[in-house]
Amino acid sequence: MKKIILLIGIVLIITSCKRDNALQKSIAEINTDITVERFDRFFAEATSEDLPKLKQAYPFMFSEKYSDSFWLAKKADTLQIQLFNEVDKTFTAFEAIETEIESLFNHLKYYFPEFNPPRIITVTNDVRYRNKVIVTDTIAVIALDNYLGSDHKFYKNIHKYIRANLTKEQIVVDLAGEYAKKYIYQQPNKTLLDEMIYFGKQLYFKDVVIPFKTEAERIGYSQDQLNWAIANESYIWRYFVDRELLFSTDSKLPSRFINPAPFTKFYLEEIDADSPGRLGQYIGWQIVCAYMKQNDVSLKDMLIKSTEDIFNNTKFKPRK
């Protein structure tokens, strides 16, 4: 009997692998072709004679309330020159990132046929890391000075847990996250579970559209942090359930369990210091993954399901 069960398991794994390979082949055949517009370079190299043409090509990058002299002075500023030089040094070649973006867009086109690839424009934004990527229906703007590497000198006054994801490997992850927000619909979050499911949807979306990135990269953890979350999954879930936090509307809970932070605030000395932040997002991710395994629902439909629908139709059991 054990041999039969093992044989069935092997057949199922082989069948699943073949199905996954066929899916990825179909997605790759979409063959989205993009051109990254290096506005950061165009602006850094522009002369007074070039500026009018640059403004005409990129009107949305220049506020009308500022004259040409303002922009010329800005590009000649010592700090701006340092910024441009560091970006140029880090992103001399962009082909690998461009390939990842094209793969992301292939996946988006497969799951959302109405998706049209936008113009990809790279800029600098004075390391405003809260606005690393901006996405609209027609353009996607990537601020490259936010991806110079977690130990870069420009980031020395930024908290370590934020610096950790200021790397070029996170560009396509952040881009996927912005698209997730565009496709997710959910009633305004009231409970902790609402927040957990919302971010769980985002992370599952990333699983589907950027499968070439690791799970750790998708959630923005180090591998050690992800391993900690996996090892303590059962404990975290029990903590939420025993303290009746899931349906709580306490406004302090998102800052403890959802928002970026150096660690998750269980208020338990033996566990807080070792934990990564955002463990509420992690558990929400596992709930959504369980829901998708247990229900015949498309990605597009799942993204608009209510918290109640997802939670009530999921038999979530944390790993022990």
Side-chain angles (χ1 to χ4, degrees), residues 31-94:
N31 196 27
T32 301
D33 187 23
I34 64 168
T35 299
V36 176
E37 302 173 43
R38 293 296 302 272
F39 176 83
D40 54 301
R41 282 184 178 168
F42 302 155
F43 183 68
E45 296 168 0
T47 64
S48 56
E49 290 77 20
D50 298 329
L51 193 60
K53 291 181 181 179
L54 194 60
K55 290 173 69 176
Q56 187 174 12
Y58 299 91
F60 44 85
M61 301 300 298
F62 297 91
S63 173
E64 292 183 356
K65 67 180 180 179
Y66 297 116
S67 65
D68 286 3
S69 60
F70 170 84
W71 300 112
L72 292 170
K74 178 181 175 69
K75 68 179 291 297
D77 179 78
T78 303
L79 290 176
Q80 286 298 315
I81 292 172
Q82 288 183 24
L83 199 65
F84 295 143
N85 289 341
E86 290 300 308
V87 167
D88 197 50
K89 184 166 53 177
T90 302
F91 295 98
T92 301
F94 210 79

Side-chain angles (χ1 to χ4, degrees), residues 183-186 201 299-306:
Y183 287 110
I184 291 171
Y185 174 76
Q186 193 166 296
K201 287 179 178 181
L299 172 65
K300 184 181 287 189
D301 287 342
M302 179 275 288
L303 294 175
I304 60 174
K305 293 287 185 182
S306 68

Side-chain angles (χ1 to χ4, degrees), residues 189-239:
N189 296 340
K190 296 179 180 178
T191 67
L192 177 62
L193 184 61
D194 287 334
E195 296 277 358
M196 291 165 63
I197 296 299
Y198 176 77
F199 285 98
K201 287 179 178 181
Q202 279 195 27
L203 288 162
Y204 187 86
F205 181 94
K206 291 179 183 179
D207 288 341
V208 173
V209 301
I210 49 172
F212 49 88
K213 303 302 281 188
T214 67
E215 286 189 333
E217 288 171 327
R218 287 176 226 152
I219 193 172
Y221 280 172
S222 67
Q223 189 58 51
D224 285 345
Q225 288 176 320
L226 180 60
N227 291 343
W228 191 99
I230 292 170
N232 290 277
E233 192 173 297
S234 181
Y235 175 84
I236 300 164
W237 178 245
R238 191 168 67 250
Y239 182 94

